Amino acid sequence: MNAPLHSRIPPKILYQEDCWSADLYCKAAAQIFRGTFSRVAIGEIGNCLEGWRVSTQSGTDAYDRRIEKTRIYRQANLDCMKFRLDAEDWEKPTIEEEWCVQPGDVVLNKIPPLRAAVATYRLPRHPVDANCILIKAVKPPFGVWVAFCLNQKPYEAYLLHRQSAAILPRVSLKVLSNLHIPLPSVAEASLLHGQVWEWNDNILENNESLRRLIADVEAYVANEQQQLDESEAGFNQSLSTGQFFPAESINDSLVPTHVKLSHQMRLLKDQLGWLSLENLLSEDEISRSRLYGDVPEQGRYLRLSDIGTDLSFSQPEEIETAPAPWRIFRQPLTSGEVLLSILVTSPRVAFIDQAPTDKIYVTDHLERLRFRETSGAWALVLNTTAIRTQLQGMAMGTVQQFTHPGNIPKLKVPDVPLALRQHWEKLLLLHHQRQRELDEEWQNIWNSAQTLFNKVHQISS
């Protein structure tokens, strides 16, 4: 969709904008000025205000000690039309202020790329930080429509251009409040509002069920580990003051953290009966051969950044320039795999319950595991703090701390009863299946909303 080289702008719009810049009217932002629908300023249908400007440094003017016990939504929590929540974000809100989200609010981050999210009833009502703007009390039913428009590239271009900041483009509260947008009919806006609202609440409900499952697995593993004699294991002791370990705890590496981990893992095995991961893996191993000269002209390559916190992955874009072939496994992603990052400073786990329809190649920053049974349950166990601590103890290097893939099978995991593992896996499978259904539903909603956007802005398909 190309922007016009010239465009006739009605005098009313020139008056509203109070700006004669050709960049504004003849580039990407020009699309928002098309159409014959009446344009209304966002500040007329809602109240724009900045998030909580608070410092975490005591003694400063902006410090508020409530921040020490308060969860806060930041730019990373905003996704297109929805919030992206971490486990801690499900905690009960501790404060009530005007910069706390309420159902119906729209939240926009200031720094590109811009993302506008809608707050619904299921969303915990935490405050938003000062790098975001809240649009509160949006006149029903236009809140979802406003959020959808703000997620479109023409509106992003407009908001960043009008601020005229060359070094660090960011959205101005004043510019956003004065932004005029065309409104569809109440019936059309109501239909879109209902669809997005229900879909958003369903997403949150599905994610909350997964968080409960993750918390249950975390509690089980933590309770198992608590039975260990911590004074002997030295889990909480610092190596800075010196510490003695028996000779049998010293293996190939004399690095103090590696010796300490070896001692702890030996105790987990001897005292608690924890199992080595290698004893649980299937004999049907995934080939470790690399692509080398067989790189496809276009391909999808799964990286660490594509692995989410919900034990799933985002499908990577198809690209022509592949990463280094010797870093890519030859065998594409298959169902039943568990992916575990070897970058121990950013431990991520994914369970591939269903093989993707497109070929997706995996980079060697992810270790590919196949278990004899209940792979989903073992993925949940690998996602716990106890296992992440073991991984971090295996770190090598000083800047980006990876571990050697050969160390992964040495991880110790609790001997979880089969019936419990089957229950955990069933719940994880239900979450992944529901997520796929909601993703498909969202694509249909987005297509309908895009059609409405094009109609209102008179953009030809």
Side-chain angles (χ1 to χ4, degrees), residues 284-287 302 313 329-339 350-362 368-371 375:
D284 181 21
E285 294 184 355
I286 300 166
S287 172
L302 194 69
F313 70 94
F329 293 111
R330 179 185 298 274
Q331 183 177 351
L333 198 63
T334 58
S335 60
E337 291 188 43
V338 174
L339 306 179
F351 169 52
I352 315 302
D353 65 312
Q354 187 177 99
T357 54
D358 297 322
K359 278 187 178 181
I360 296 180
Y361 296 95
V362 184
R368 305 170 69 180
L369 306 172
R370 190 183 299 283
F371 290 85
S375 296

Side-chain angles (χ1 to χ4, degrees), residues 76-187:
N77 292 113
L78 300 182
D79 208 342
C80 178
M81 302 299 288
K82 65 184 179 72
F83 281 77
R84 183 189 298 124
L85 302 188
D86 296 323
E88 296 80 6
D89 294 323
W90 289 103
E91 296 174 2
K92 185 178 180 181
T94 57
I95 62 174
E96 291 185 19
E97 297 288 352
E98 62 177 355
W99 13 258
C100 294
V101 295
Q102 297 293 331
D105 291 351
V106 175
V107 182
L108 176 73
N109 63 311
K110 292 182 179 180
I111 301 173
L114 302 189
R115 302 175 299 278
V118 179
T120 59
Y121 288 117
R122 279 191 173 274
L123 184 72
R125 301 175 188 181
H126 298 302
V128 172
D129 83 345
N131 285 318
C132 302
I133 296 175
L134 292 96
I135 309 175
K136 304 186 74 70
V138 183
K139 182 180 178 182
F142 295 108
V144 169
W145 171 252
V146 168
F148 186 82
C149 289
L150 294 178
N151 279 299
Q152 297 287 318
K153 289 298 181 182
Y155 281 91
E156 179 183 58
Y158 172 89
L159 290 170
L160 298 178
H161 177 82
R162 287 293 274 122
Q163 180 59 14
S164 302
I167 299 177
L168 183 61
R170 57 193 298 124
V171 178
S172 158
L173 187 66
K174 180 180 179 182
V175 170
L176 178 63
S177 185
N178 292 331
L179 170 62
H180 286 69
I181 65 173
L183 300 180
S185 68
V186 172

Side-chain angles (χ1 to χ4, degrees), residues 269-280:
K269 178 183 177 182
D270 294 345
Q271 293 189 16
L272 301 183
W274 282 29
L275 308 172
S276 293
L277 203 63
E278 59 189 347
N279 296 329
L280 305 171

Side-chain angles (χ1 to χ4, degrees), residues 226-294:
Q226 275 185 349
Q227 300 175 41
L228 195 66
D229 184 351
E230 292 191 10
S231 61
E232 182 182 353
F235 279 105
N236 300 316
Q237 295 181 27
S238 171
L239 291 172
S240 60
T241 57
Q243 191 173 344
F244 289 97
F245 294 103
E248 56 267 27
S249 295
I250 302 176
N251 295 321
D252 296 336
S253 174
L254 296 179
V255 176
T257 53
H258 293 172
V259 175
K260 178 181 178 180
L261 175 64
S262 175
H263 177 62
Q264 293 168 347
M265 293 172 72
R266 185 177 64 84
L267 293 177
L268 288 171
K269 178 183 177 182
D270 294 345
Q271 293 189 16
L272 301 183
W274 282 29
L275 308 172
S276 293
L277 203 63
E278 59 189 347
N279 296 329
L280 305 171
L281 298 178
S282 170
E283 295 180 359
D284 181 21
E285 294 184 355
I286 300 166
S287 172
R288 300 190 64 83
S289 62
R290 308 307 170 96
L291 278 180
Y292 293 109
D294 300 326

Side-chain angles (χ1 to χ4, degrees), residues 289-364:
S289 62
R290 308 307 170 96
L291 278 180
Y292 293 109
D294 300 326
V295 179
E297 292 184 2
Q298 288 189 319
R300 301 180 189 274
Y301 303 94
L302 194 69
R303 306 169 190 263
L304 180 59
S305 57
D306 296 316
I307 305 299
T309 58
D310 60 353
L311 282 85
S312 68
F313 70 94
S314 301
Q315 178 159 299
E317 295 290 333
E318 193 172 37
I319 59 175
E320 294 182 2
T321 305
W326 58 88
R327 305 292 305 273
I328 308 298
F329 293 111
R330 179 185 298 274
Q331 183 177 351
L333 198 63
T334 58
S335 60
E337 291 188 43
V338 174
L339 306 179
L340 177 64
S341 67
I342 62 171
L343 178 62
V344 298
T345 52
S346 180
R348 292 290 178 89
V349 182
F351 169 52
I352 315 302
D353 65 312
Q354 187 177 99
T357 54
D358 297 322
K359 278 187 178 181
I360 296 180
Y361 296 95
V362 184
T363 60
D364 63 0

